[in-house]
Amino acid sequence: MSQAPVFPDGFLWGAATAAHQIEGSPLADGAGPSIWTRFAHTPGMTLNGDTGDVACDHYRRWKDDVKLMRDLGLQAYRFSVAWARVLPEGTGRINQAGLDFYSRLVDELLANGIEPLLTLYHWDLPAALDDRGGWLNRDSADWFAEYASVMYKALDGRVKKWVTLNEPWVITDGGYLHGALAPGHRSLFEAPIASHNLMRAHGAAVRAYREIGAHEIGLVVNIEPKYAASDSEADRVATRRAHAYMNEQYLHPALLGRYPEELEDVFGAAWPEWPKQDFELIRQKLDFVGINYYTRGVTEANDSYPLKAGSVRQPLATYSETGWEFYPKGLTDLLVWFKQTYGDTPVYITENGAAMYDPPAAEVDADGRGRVRDPLRTAYLRQHIGAIHDAIQAGVDVRGYMLWSLLDNLEWSLGYSKRFGMVHVNYATQQRTPKDSAHWYSGVIRSHGRSL
Ligand SMILES: CO[C@H](O)c1c[n+]2c([nH]1)[C@H](O)[C@@H](O)[C@H](O)[C@H]2CO
């Protein structure tokens, strides 16, 4: 970049978390269990048997954490609501103490000049609904619309940016196809059904918002550009299949009202006939789309199940602790593809970040006087925010950036082994210590990107 980048007026700088990953106290004050409470307490399901029982203790430390956000200069904060805190059985009875927790959090954010960006579903389905079939049950669309309506009535106006689902691809690929995430199913037949019901639930929640809400609502997807590993026919076909499976499987029905045709090839006999009226429900006008970007996929044909495509490691690249290649140009390419494919729906980058090896907690003394040097994370963030600027220069309407994550937190089945936070958490003492990357990001926010 030859000169200081200029981001659009109103471009929103924030950070993101999710309920199950930071809150702890999953059953406090009348909350019901979620599928993640059950999954993590099932032996062998998470690394070291790590659970969300304590996490970052945010359920109790929320006020100090908002102060931390203010001190860092965040303009926005993306968080999720634990459905089973508000509706312990998933539908019906409202647990007022659970609703009050989120109402207080929103008020504290607003009092500190931080805009809340609320995700209704970030993977933690009430266990009571899983007992009724969960996302495999077509009634899940009604369950989700009921829950969403409770939240809209309670918070809309204070919350002006709503997200229905976080990453339906991960929910399905992890929770129903490969079994690495809750509820831990492994079925080629269940996966498309769960996917489809998730998208019906998304549509039902947006339709309910249009009846109740007066602000903005969108969908968050994780997408990554797929580049053929060679110009062989096999690799090019595999790349197309992988692109459809991850990048179009949810955006196509949400924005175009149809699935990409490659999915029939991926799922074969497991691909159902969908009722046409379902797509009228799924395809609702969206005020924005949230894109979670971490890396790209250089893709080759292989014998992986069921995709028959996989990523090829790049010998000279830098990789994060989760094995994701640093590839900022992929974010620019992806954003340009999004605009070319789906038009000018506004976009927020709702997650971007890297798990890097940070100095052990011992180097950060108990009262947080220590310093956490994380130059690789700062490099990653600088490169990717620069890539967003390149996309904006290319005409893509990107409205904001939510860094993943505010805090080191529970990385699902990987437990506490991966640290994505710009703020270090000493899990033994719950001491928060901003890392060098946090101080750097504060400067980016203060300069509105010009200090990049
Ligand atoms: C497959 O990568 C996804 O884009 C993705 C990465 N991440 C996510 N989705 C989730 O939304 C977060 O809860 C994770 O903590 C975060 C870091 O792993």
Side-chain angles (χ1 to χ4, degrees):
M1 225 172 309
S2 54
Q3 58 188 22
V6 177
F7 283 80
D9 289 348
F11 186 89
L12 213 49
W13 303 95
T17 65
H20 183 75
Q21 296 182 265
I22 67 165
E23 289 179 358
S25 309
L27 302 178
D29 302 325
S34 77
I35 54 174
W36 269 95
T37 318
R38 281 187 179 165
F39 190 73
H41 282 278
T42 304
M45 293 298 112
T46 64
L47 189 66
N48 307 320
D50 286 347
T51 74
D53 291 355
V54 178
C56 304
D57 199 24
H58 176 75
Y59 185 73
R60 299 187 315 147
R61 298 165 187 265
W62 59 276
K63 193 169 268 194
D64 287 344
D65 286 339
V66 173
K67 185 179 175 304
L68 176 62
M69 296 178 214
R70 186 202 60 199
D71 294 347
L72 290 172
L74 299 190
Q75 298 169 348
Y77 173 54
R78 177 182 175 231
F79 65 98
S80 76
V81 169
W83 184 342
R85 284 198 196 283
V86 177
L87 295 167
E89 292 79 41
T91 60
R93 179 177 67 88
I94 294 173
N95 175 39
Q96 194 57 46
L99 195 51
D100 290 347
F101 169 72
Y102 294 106
S103 183
R104 284 194 301 272
L105 173 62
V106 165
D107 285 343
E108 190 70 13
L109 289 166
L110 294 171
N112 285 274
I114 299 167
E115 180 171 2
L117 204 156
L118 189 154
T119 303
L120 288 162
Y121 188 68
H122 201 125
W123 307 359
D124 46 0
L125 185 74
L129 295 181
D130 197 48
D131 293 343
R132 295 163 64 184
W135 295 114
L136 299 175
N137 187 331
R138 279 180 68 90
D139 292 345
S140 49
D142 297 330
W143 305 336
F144 188 59
E146 176 186 342
Y147 154 59
S149 300
V150 167
M151 298 310 299
Y152 301 150
K153 288 169 189 164
L155 298 179
D156 194 52
R158 291 183 279 163
V159 172
K160 296 182 178 177
K161 288 181 177 60
W162 295 84
V163 166
T164 56
L165 304 175
N166 178 73
E167 301 189 344
W169 183 89
V170 177
I171 297 168
T172 302
D173 186 80
Y176 289 89
L177 182 58
H178 294 296
L181 302 176
H185 296 194
R186 289 193 167 95
S187 165
L188 187 67
F189 288 82
E190 288 186 356
I193 293 168
S195 264
H196 191 70
N197 285 333
L198 277 159
M199 292 312 290
R200 292 176 60 251
H202 157 77
V206 176
R207 190 173 55 182
Y209 188 70
R210 299 305 180 205
E211 299 293 317
I212 300 168
H215 300 281
E216 297 182 338
I217 191 163
L219 169 69
V220 166
V221 291
N222 63 290
I223 50 179
E224 70 178 45
K226 306 291 185 182
Y227 304 86
S230 78
D231 58 7
S232 71
E233 178 66 8
D235 284 355
R236 287 192 311 102
V237 168
T239 302
R240 172 78 212 126
R241 198 165 51 241
H243 173 68
Y245 177 64
M246 179 179 270
N247 302 332
E248 297 177 339
Q249 181 172 189
Y250 302 97
L251 286 174
H252 265 38
L255 298 174
L256 305 179
R258 61 179 171 83
Y259 284 115
E261 61 193 21
E262 287 80 358
L263 294 187
E264 285 196 60
D265 177 29
V266 171
F267 290 102
W271 185 250
E273 285 292 318
W274 306 114
K276 286 210 179 340
Q277 69 272 17
D278 284 357
F279 296 95
E280 291 156 22
L281 173 62
I282 293 170
R283 186 185 186 187
Q284 300 285 331
K285 182 189 175 311
L286 298 182
D287 301 301
F288 64 87
V289 166
I291 291 177
N292 293 353
Y293 177 85
Y294 289 87
T295 189
R296 66 166 171 171
V298 178
T299 306
E300 66 174 3
N302 64 21
D303 56 3
S304 66
Y305 172 83
L307 201 54
K308 300 189 287 298
S311 292
V312 181
R313 195 165 175 90
Q314 299 306 296
L316 301 179
T318 303
Y319 281 78
S320 72
E321 289 287 297
T322 47
W324 299 339
E325 181 192 357
F326 282 32
Y327 194 72
K329 185 177 178 301
L331 179 49
T332 307
D333 292 348
L334 195 68
L335 288 167
V336 169
W337 165 79
F338 179 87
K339 176 182 170 67
Q340 289 169 343
T341 309
Y342 302 110
D344 288 326
T345 302
V347 170
Y348 287 87
I349 302 303
T350 35
E351 286 181 29
N352 175 249
M356 300 313 296
Y357 171 74
D358 295 328
E363 291 182 28
V364 179
D365 57 28
D367 59 10
R369 280 197 310 269
R371 179 180 165 186
V372 181
R373 293 169 175 77
D374 58 340
L376 268 178
R377 180 175 290 105
T378 300
Y380 178 97
L381 298 172
R382 182 199 308 277
Q383 291 167 1
H384 286 80
I385 295 172
I388 293 166
H389 184 262
D390 293 344
I392 291 170
Q393 297 287 84
V396 185
D397 184 2
V398 187
R399 300 278 177 94
Y401 177 79
M402 304 296 136
L403 191 156
W404 186 271
S405 179
L406 172 70
L407 301 172
D408 290 337
N409 60 55
L410 174 63
E411 183 53 28
W412 305 107
S413 309
L414 296 177
Y416 297 97
S417 68
K418 305 300 176 201
R419 290 179 176 269
F420 276 90
M422 63 170 152
V423 174
H424 179 279
V425 175
N426 178 327
Y427 294 114
T429 65
Q430 289 297 343
Q431 175 66 39
R432 277 81 159 132
T433 307
K435 302 176 188 176
D436 285 359
S437 58
H439 299 303
W440 170 83
Y441 187 53
S442 295
V444 171
I445 299 171
R446 277 195 305 275
S447 68
H448 200 54
R450 282 185 294 279
S451 67
L452 208 53

mmCIF file of all heavy atoms in Angstrom, residues 43-81:
data_model
loop_
_atom_site.group_PDB
_atom_site.id
_atom_site.type_symbol
_atom_site.label_atom_id
_atom_site.label_comp_id
_atom_site.label_asym_id
_atom_site.label_seq_id
_atom_site.Cartn_x
_atom_site.Cartn_y
_atom_site.Cartn_z
ATOM 1 N N PRO A 43 -17.133 -38.155 27.631
ATOM 2 C CA PRO A 43 -15.697 -38.482 27.577
ATOM 3 C C PRO A 43 -15.195 -38.650 26.138
ATOM 4 O O PRO A 43 -15.861 -39.268 25.306
ATOM 5 C CB PRO A 43 -15.610 -39.808 28.347
ATOM 6 C CG PRO A 43 -16.747 -39.739 29.316
ATOM 7 C CD PRO A 43 -17.863 -39.020 28.584
ATOM 8 N N GLY A 44 -14.036 -38.031 25.872
ATOM 9 C CA GLY A 44 -13.375 -38.186 24.569
ATOM 10 C C GLY A 44 -13.796 -37.193 23.512
ATOM 11 O O GLY A 44 -13.219 -37.165 22.421
ATOM 12 N N MET A 45 -14.790 -36.387 23.782
ATOM 13 C CA MET A 45 -15.294 -35.480 22.747
ATOM 14 C C MET A 45 -14.471 -34.197 22.606
ATOM 15 O O MET A 45 -14.471 -33.558 21.560
ATOM 16 C CB MET A 45 -16.758 -35.104 23.016
ATOM 17 C CG MET A 45 -17.705 -36.276 22.881
ATOM 18 S SD MET A 45 -17.718 -36.974 21.205
ATOM 19 C CE MET A 45 -16.959 -38.549 21.489
ATOM 20 N N THR A 46 -13.777 -33.798 23.686
ATOM 21 C CA THR A 46 -12.979 -32.565 23.576
ATOM 22 C C THR A 46 -11.567 -32.834 24.101
ATOM 23 O O THR A 46 -11.356 -33.718 24.935
ATOM 24 C CB THR A 46 -13.582 -31.410 24.418
ATOM 25 O OG1 THR A 46 -13.534 -31.784 25.798
ATOM 26 C CG2 THR A 46 -15.017 -31.100 23.997
ATOM 27 N N LEU A 47 -10.613 -32.061 23.614
ATOM 28 C CA LEU A 47 -9.220 -32.217 24.032
ATOM 29 C C LEU A 47 -9.114 -32.017 25.541
ATOM 30 O O LEU A 47 -9.681 -31.064 26.092
ATOM 31 C CB LEU A 47 -8.374 -31.155 23.318
ATOM 32 C CG LEU A 47 -6.862 -31.272 23.447
ATOM 33 C CD1 LEU A 47 -6.356 -32.540 22.757
ATOM 34 C CD2 LEU A 47 -6.185 -30.030 22.868
ATOM 35 N N ASN A 48 -8.452 -32.980 26.199
ATOM 36 C CA ASN A 48 -8.269 -32.915 27.666
ATOM 37 C C ASN A 48 -9.594 -32.895 28.432
ATOM 38 O O ASN A 48 -9.603 -32.568 29.618
ATOM 39 C CB ASN A 48 -7.463 -31.662 28.064
ATOM 40 C CG ASN A 48 -6.146 -31.564 27.300
ATOM 41 O OD1 ASN A 48 -5.471 -32.576 27.084
ATOM 42 N ND2 ASN A 48 -5.796 -30.355 26.853
ATOM 43 N N GLY A 49 -10.697 -33.191 27.745
ATOM 44 C CA GLY A 49 -11.996 -33.157 28.423
ATOM 45 C C GLY A 49 -12.407 -31.736 28.786
ATOM 46 O O GLY A 49 -13.242 -31.521 29.665
ATOM 47 N N ASP A 50 -11.830 -30.738 28.076
ATOM 48 C CA ASP A 50 -12.149 -29.327 28.375
ATOM 49 C C ASP A 50 -13.628 -29.054 28.158
ATOM 50 O O ASP A 50 -14.230 -29.529 27.189
ATOM 51 C CB ASP A 50 -11.320 -28.391 27.475
ATOM 52 C CG ASP A 50 -9.858 -28.324 27.902
ATOM 53 O OD1 ASP A 50 -9.553 -28.799 29.011
ATOM 54 O OD2 ASP A 50 -9.034 -27.828 27.129
ATOM 55 N N THR A 51 -14.213 -28.252 29.045
ATOM 56 C CA THR A 51 -15.636 -27.905 28.922
ATOM 57 C C THR A 51 -15.798 -26.384 29.020
ATOM 58 O O THR A 51 -14.868 -25.661 29.358
ATOM 59 C CB THR A 51 -16.450 -28.539 30.073
ATOM 60 O OG1 THR A 51 -16.163 -27.794 31.286
ATOM 61 C CG2 THR A 51 -16.114 -30.007 30.277
ATOM 62 N N GLY A 52 -17.032 -25.949 28.801
ATOM 63 C CA GLY A 52 -17.376 -24.527 28.929
ATOM 64 C C GLY A 52 -17.894 -24.196 30.312
ATOM 65 O O GLY A 52 -18.516 -23.149 30.514
ATOM 66 N N ASP A 53 -17.604 -25.043 31.302
ATOM 67 C CA ASP A 53 -18.158 -24.808 32.648
ATOM 68 C C ASP A 53 -17.663 -23.487 33.243
ATOM 69 O O ASP A 53 -18.369 -22.827 33.975
ATOM 70 C CB ASP A 53 -17.803 -25.965 33.595
ATOM 71 C CG ASP A 53 -18.547 -27.250 33.212
ATOM 72 O OD1 ASP A 53 -19.387 -27.177 32.275
ATOM 73 O OD2 ASP A 53 -18.275 -28.303 33.809
ATOM 74 N N VAL A 54 -16.388 -23.127 32.932
ATOM 75 C CA VAL A 54 -15.831 -21.855 33.442
ATOM 76 C C VAL A 54 -15.477 -20.918 32.287
ATOM 77 O O VAL A 54 -15.824 -19.745 32.274
ATOM 78 C CB VAL A 54 -14.593 -22.086 34.337
ATOM 79 C CG1 VAL A 54 -14.021 -20.748 34.806
ATOM 80 C CG2 VAL A 54 -14.941 -22.990 35.516
ATOM 81 N N ALA A 55 -14.752 -21.469 31.295
ATOM 82 C CA ALA A 55 -14.315 -20.692 30.114
ATOM 83 C C ALA A 55 -13.605 -19.412 30.576
ATOM 84 O O ALA A 55 -12.686 -19.478 31.377
ATOM 85 C CB ALA A 55 -15.494 -20.404 29.187
ATOM 86 N N CYS A 56 -14.102 -18.234 30.127
ATOM 87 C CA CYS A 56 -13.469 -16.968 30.545
ATOM 88 C C CYS A 56 -14.263 -16.305 31.659
ATOM 89 O O CYS A 56 -14.061 -15.127 31.977
ATOM 90 C CB CYS A 56 -13.382 -16.032 29.353
ATOM 91 S SG CYS A 56 -12.527 -16.736 27.943
ATOM 92 N N ASP A 57 -15.229 -17.063 32.225
ATOM 93 C CA ASP A 57 -16.027 -16.562 33.351
ATOM 94 C C ASP A 57 -16.704 -15.241 33.005
ATOM 95 O O ASP A 57 -16.971 -14.403 33.871
ATOM 96 C CB ASP A 57 -15.125 -16.420 34.596
ATOM 97 C CG ASP A 57 -15.946 -16.365 35.884
ATOM 98 O OD1 ASP A 57 -17.088 -16.884 35.883
ATOM 99 O OD2 ASP A 57 -15.460 -15.762 36.857
ATOM 100 N N HIS A 58 -16.992 -15.075 31.748
ATOM 101 C CA HIS A 58 -17.597 -13.810 31.299
ATOM 102 C C HIS A 58 -18.990 -13.626 31.857
ATOM 103 O O HIS A 58 -19.424 -12.493 32.074
ATOM 104 C CB HIS A 58 -17.657 -13.790 29.754
ATOM 105 C CG HIS A 58 -18.330 -12.590 29.169
ATOM 106 N ND1 HIS A 58 -17.721 -11.360 29.122
ATOM 107 C CD2 HIS A 58 -19.573 -12.423 28.621
ATOM 108 C CE1 HIS A 58 -18.566 -10.488 28.568
ATOM 109 N NE2 HIS A 58 -19.682 -11.104 28.256
ATOM 110 N N TYR A 59 -19.695 -14.680 32.174
ATOM 111 C CA TYR A 59 -21.052 -14.544 32.721
ATOM 112 C C TYR A 59 -21.014 -13.733 34.014
ATOM 113 O O TYR A 59 -21.969 -13.044 34.352
ATOM 114 C CB TYR A 59 -21.647 -15.931 32.985
ATOM 115 C CG TYR A 59 -23.093 -15.902 33.448
ATOM 116 C CD1 TYR A 59 -24.120 -15.587 32.557
ATOM 117 C CD2 TYR A 59 -23.429 -16.169 34.782
ATOM 118 C CE1 TYR A 59 -25.447 -15.556 32.977
ATOM 119 C CE2 TYR A 59 -24.752 -16.130 35.212
ATOM 120 C CZ TYR A 59 -25.745 -15.825 34.306
ATOM 121 O OH TYR A 59 -27.061 -15.775 34.736
ATOM 122 N N ARG A 60 -19.856 -13.789 34.718
ATOM 123 C CA ARG A 60 -19.726 -13.038 35.966
ATOM 124 C C ARG A 60 -18.845 -11.809 35.791
ATOM 125 O O ARG A 60 -18.967 -10.840 36.534
ATOM 126 C CB ARG A 60 -19.166 -13.957 37.063
ATOM 127 C CG ARG A 60 -20.110 -15.156 37.317
ATOM 128 C CD ARG A 60 -19.698 -16.008 38.493
ATOM 129 N NE ARG A 60 -18.274 -16.280 38.468
ATOM 130 C CZ ARG A 60 -17.536 -16.416 39.581
ATOM 131 N NH1 ARG A 60 -18.088 -16.289 40.751
ATOM 132 N NH2 ARG A 60 -16.252 -16.670 39.495
ATOM 133 N N ARG A 61 -17.960 -11.816 34.802
ATOM 134 C CA ARG A 61 -17.006 -10.723 34.634
ATOM 135 C C ARG A 61 -17.379 -9.777 33.496
ATOM 136 O O ARG A 61 -16.562 -8.976 33.043
ATOM 137 C CB ARG A 61 -15.601 -11.293 34.404
ATOM 138 C CG ARG A 61 -15.083 -12.114 35.567
ATOM 139 C CD ARG A 61 -13.873 -12.957 35.196
ATOM 140 N NE ARG A 61 -13.556 -13.830 36.320
ATOM 141 C CZ ARG A 61 -12.646 -13.538 37.264
ATOM 142 N NH1 ARG A 61 -12.005 -12.380 37.220
ATOM 143 N NH2 ARG A 61 -12.406 -14.371 38.253
ATOM 144 N N TRP A 62 -18.632 -9.862 33.073
ATOM 145 C CA TRP A 62 -19.053 -9.149 31.845
ATOM 146 C C TRP A 62 -18.831 -7.639 31.943
ATOM 147 O O TRP A 62 -18.389 -7.006 30.977
ATOM 148 C CB TRP A 62 -20.523 -9.439 31.556
ATOM 149 C CG TRP A 62 -21.451 -9.029 32.650
ATOM 150 C CD1 TRP A 62 -21.770 -9.746 33.775
ATOM 151 C CD2 TRP A 62 -22.150 -7.783 32.760
ATOM 152 N NE1 TRP A 62 -22.620 -9.033 34.582
ATOM 153 C CE2 TRP A 62 -22.878 -7.822 33.973
ATOM 154 C CE3 TRP A 62 -22.250 -6.656 31.961
ATOM 155 C CZ2 TRP A 62 -23.686 -6.772 34.411
ATOM 156 C CZ3 TRP A 62 -23.048 -5.603 32.385
ATOM 157 C CH2 TRP A 62 -23.759 -5.661 33.598
ATOM 158 N N LYS A 63 -19.024 -7.063 33.120
ATOM 159 C CA LYS A 63 -18.919 -5.602 33.234
ATOM 160 C C LYS A 63 -17.455 -5.174 33.056
ATOM 161 O O LYS A 63 -17.150 -4.227 32.338
ATOM 162 C CB LYS A 63 -19.456 -5.133 34.581
ATOM 163 C CG LYS A 63 -19.676 -3.624 34.640
ATOM 164 C CD LYS A 63 -20.459 -3.191 35.877
ATOM 165 C CE LYS A 63 -21.945 -3.116 35.623
ATOM 166 N NZ LYS A 63 -22.682 -2.386 36.691
ATOM 167 N N ASP A 64 -16.526 -5.935 33.658
ATOM 168 C CA ASP A 64 -15.099 -5.622 33.483
ATOM 169 C C ASP A 64 -14.685 -5.848 32.035
ATOM 170 O O ASP A 64 -13.832 -5.124 31.497
ATOM 171 C CB ASP A 64 -14.248 -6.506 34.411
ATOM 172 C CG ASP A 64 -14.357 -6.072 35.870
ATOM 173 O OD1 ASP A 64 -14.827 -4.936 36.110
ATOM 174 O OD2 ASP A 64 -14.006 -6.873 36.751
ATOM 175 N N ASP A 65 -15.268 -6.840 31.397
ATOM 176 C CA ASP A 65 -14.917 -7.107 29.996
ATOM 177 C C ASP A 65 -15.403 -5.988 29.083
ATOM 178 O O ASP A 65 -14.723 -5.638 28.108
ATOM 179 C CB ASP A 65 -15.463 -8.475 29.562
ATOM 180 C CG ASP A 65 -14.652 -9.629 30.159
ATOM 181 O OD1 ASP A 65 -13.478 -9.397 30.544
ATOM 182 O OD2 ASP A 65 -15.194 -10.744 30.259
ATOM 183 N N VAL A 66 -16.553 -5.401 29.407
ATOM 184 C CA VAL A 66 -17.008 -4.252 28.601
ATOM 185 C C VAL A 66 -16.060 -3.070 28.828
ATOM 186 O O VAL A 66 -15.691 -2.360 27.883
ATOM 187 C CB VAL A 66 -18.460 -3.875 28.941
ATOM 188 C CG1 VAL A 66 -18.870 -2.582 28.227
ATOM 189 C CG2 VAL A 66 -19.405 -5.004 28.549
ATOM 190 N N LYS A 67 -15.595 -2.907 30.061
ATOM 191 C CA LYS A 67 -14.625 -1.829 30.334
ATOM 192 C C LYS A 67 -13.350 -2.045 29.521
ATOM 193 O O LYS A 67 -12.789 -1.122 28.931
ATOM 194 C CB LYS A 67 -14.307 -1.800 31.841
ATOM 195 C CG LYS A 67 -13.402 -0.640 32.247
ATOM 196 C CD LYS A 67 -13.133 -0.624 33.739
ATOM 197 C CE LYS A 67 -12.131 0.483 34.094
ATOM 198 N NZ LYS A 67 -10.856 0.314 33.287
ATOM 199 N N LEU A 68 -12.930 -3.321 29.436
ATOM 200 C CA LEU A 68 -11.746 -3.686 28.635
ATOM 201 C C LEU A 68 -11.975 -3.312 27.171
ATOM 202 O O LEU A 68 -11.104 -2.721 26.519
ATOM 203 C CB LEU A 68 -11.492 -5.190 28.789
ATOM 204 C CG LEU A 68 -10.374 -5.826 27.979
ATOM 205 C CD1 LEU A 68 -9.021 -5.236 28.355
ATOM 206 C CD2 LEU A 68 -10.383 -7.342 28.188
ATOM 207 N N MET A 69 -13.167 -3.616 26.645
ATOM 208 C CA MET A 69 -13.499 -3.254 25.253
ATOM 209 C C MET A 69 -13.417 -1.732 25.076
ATOM 210 O O MET A 69 -12.866 -1.237 24.094
ATOM 211 C CB MET A 69 -14.904 -3.715 24.905
ATOM 212 C CG MET A 69 -15.141 -5.211 24.923
ATOM 213 S SD MET A 69 -16.875 -5.564 24.554
ATOM 214 C CE MET A 69 -17.133 -7.017 25.594
ATOM 215 N N ARG A 70 -13.953 -0.995 26.045
ATOM 216 C CA ARG A 70 -13.922 0.475 25.953
ATOM 217 C C ARG A 70 -12.484 0.965 25.974
ATOM 218 O O ARG A 70 -12.083 1.818 25.173
ATOM 219 C CB ARG A 70 -14.697 1.084 27.129
ATOM 220 C CG ARG A 70 -14.840 2.604 27.055
ATOM 221 C CD ARG A 70 -15.106 3.209 28.409
ATOM 222 N NE ARG A 70 -14.005 2.918 29.337
ATOM 223 C CZ ARG A 70 -14.137 3.003 30.670
ATOM 224 N NH1 ARG A 70 -15.329 3.317 31.197
ATOM 225 N NH2 ARG A 70 -13.116 2.757 31.461
ATOM 226 N N ASP A 71 -11.673 0.410 26.885
ATOM 227 C CA ASP A 71 -10.274 0.842 26.973
ATOM 228 C C ASP A 71 -9.511 0.539 25.683
ATOM 229 O O ASP A 71 -8.574 1.248 25.323
ATOM 230 C CB ASP A 71 -9.588 0.177 28.169
ATOM 231 C CG ASP A 71 -10.175 0.649 29.502
ATOM 232 O OD1 ASP A 71 -10.917 1.661 29.496
ATOM 233 O OD2 ASP A 71 -9.933 -0.014 30.528
ATOM 234 N N LEU A 72 -9.933 -0.518 24.988
ATOM 235 C CA LEU A 72 -9.273 -0.850 23.709
ATOM 236 C C LEU A 72 -9.796 0.023 22.575
ATOM 237 O O LEU A 72 -9.242 0.016 21.480
ATOM 238 C CB LEU A 72 -9.494 -2.337 23.383
ATOM 239 C CG LEU A 72 -8.759 -3.340 24.282
ATOM 240 C CD1 LEU A 72 -9.227 -4.765 23.978
ATOM 241 C CD2 LEU A 72 -7.247 -3.230 24.099
ATOM 242 N N GLY A 73 -10.893 0.728 22.829
ATOM 243 C CA GLY A 73 -11.442 1.628 21.812
ATOM 244 C C GLY A 73 -12.372 0.960 20.819
ATOM 245 O O GLY A 73 -12.658 1.496 19.745
ATOM 246 N N LEU A 74 -12.876 -0.250 21.169
ATOM 247 C CA LEU A 74 -13.773 -0.934 20.240
ATOM 248 C C LEU A 74 -15.019 -0.097 19.972
ATOM 249 O O LEU A 74 -15.598 0.486 20.885
ATOM 250 C CB LEU A 74 -14.197 -2.307 20.792
ATOM 251 C CG LEU A 74 -13.108 -3.349 21.062
ATOM 252 C CD1 LEU A 74 -13.750 -4.698 21.364
ATOM 253 C CD2 LEU A 74 -12.131 -3.457 19.906
ATOM 254 N N GLN A 75 -15.459 -0.091 18.710
ATOM 255 C CA GLN A 75 -16.688 0.625 18.349
ATOM 256 C C GLN A 75 -17.895 -0.315 18.331
ATOM 257 O O GLN A 75 -19.040 0.115 18.381
ATOM 258 C CB GLN A 75 -16.514 1.262 16.969
ATOM 259 C CG GLN A 75 -15.392 2.280 16.915
ATOM 260 C CD GLN A 75 -15.068 2.710 15.486
ATOM 261 O OE1 GLN A 75 -15.516 2.093 14.513
ATOM 262 N NE2 GLN A 75 -14.271 3.756 15.347
ATOM 263 N N ALA A 76 -17.606 -1.621 18.190
ATOM 264 C CA ALA A 76 -18.681 -2.615 18.114
ATOM 265 C C ALA A 76 -18.212 -3.908 18.763
ATOM 266 O O ALA A 76 -17.004 -4.150 18.889
ATOM 267 C CB ALA A 76 -19.055 -2.871 16.658
ATOM 268 N N TYR A 77 -19.183 -4.712 19.157
ATOM 269 C CA TYR A 77 -18.859 -5.998 19.797
ATOM 270 C C TYR A 77 -19.871 -7.016 19.324
ATOM 271 O O TYR A 77 -21.083 -6.847 19.489
ATOM 272 C CB TYR A 77 -18.936 -5.871 21.310
ATOM 273 C CG TYR A 77 -18.787 -7.171 22.077
ATOM 274 C CD1 TYR A 77 -17.696 -8.016 21.882
ATOM 275 C CD2 TYR A 77 -19.739 -7.547 23.031
ATOM 276 C CE1 TYR A 77 -17.551 -9.198 22.608
ATOM 277 C CE2 TYR A 77 -19.610 -8.741 23.753
ATOM 278 C CZ TYR A 77 -18.503 -9.556 23.533
ATOM 279 O OH TYR A 77 -18.372 -10.730 24.250
ATOM 280 N N ARG A 78 -19.363 -8.051 18.636
ATOM 281 C CA ARG A 78 -20.218 -9.144 18.165
ATOM 282 C C ARG A 78 -20.192 -10.253 19.191
ATOM 283 O O ARG A 78 -19.127 -10.769 19.524
ATOM 284 C CB ARG A 78 -19.739 -9.657 16.803
ATOM 285 C CG ARG A 78 -20.551 -10.840 16.324
ATOM 286 C CD ARG A 78 -20.067 -11.409 15.010
ATOM 287 N NE ARG A 78 -20.857 -12.611 14.702
ATOM 288 C CZ ARG A 78 -20.321 -13.782 14.380
ATOM 289 N NH1 ARG A 78 -19.000 -13.918 14.273
ATOM 290 N NH2 ARG A 78 -21.093 -14.827 14.159
ATOM 291 N N PHE A 79 -21.361 -10.602 19.714
ATOM 292 C CA PHE A 79 -21.456 -11.681 20.702
ATOM 293 C C PHE A 79 -22.654 -12.538 20.359
ATOM 294 O O PHE A 79 -23.471 -12.183 19.495
ATOM 295 C CB PHE A 79 -21.592 -11.098 22.115
ATOM 296 C CG PHE A 79 -22.875 -10.340 22.328
ATOM 297 C CD1 PHE A 79 -23.976 -10.934 22.939
ATOM 298 C CD2 PHE A 79 -22.990 -9.012 21.898
ATOM 299 C CE1 PHE A 79 -25.157 -10.236 23.117
ATOM 300 C CE2 PHE A 79 -24.191 -8.309 22.066
ATOM 301 C CZ PHE A 79 -25.276 -8.915 22.685
ATOM 302 N N SER A 80 -22.800 -13.698 21.027
ATOM 303 C CA SER A 80 -23.976 -14.521 20.772
ATOM 304 C C SER A 80 -24.750 -14.748 22.058
ATOM 305 O O SER A 80 -24.202 -14.616 23.160
ATOM 306 C CB SER A 80 -23.582 -15.868 20.150
ATOM 307 O OG SER A 80 -23.046 -16.749 21.130
ATOM 308 N N VAL A 81 -26.007 -15.071 21.890
ATOM 309 C CA VAL A 81 -26.894 -15.385 23.006
ATOM 310 C C VAL A 81 -26.970 -16.896 23.143
ATOM 311 O O VAL A 81 -27.127 -17.617 22.144
ATOM 312 C CB VAL A 81 -28.305 -14.803 22.768
ATOM 313 C CG1 VAL A 81 -29.315 -15.338 23.778
ATOM 314 C CG2 VAL A 81 -28.260 -13.278 22.819
#
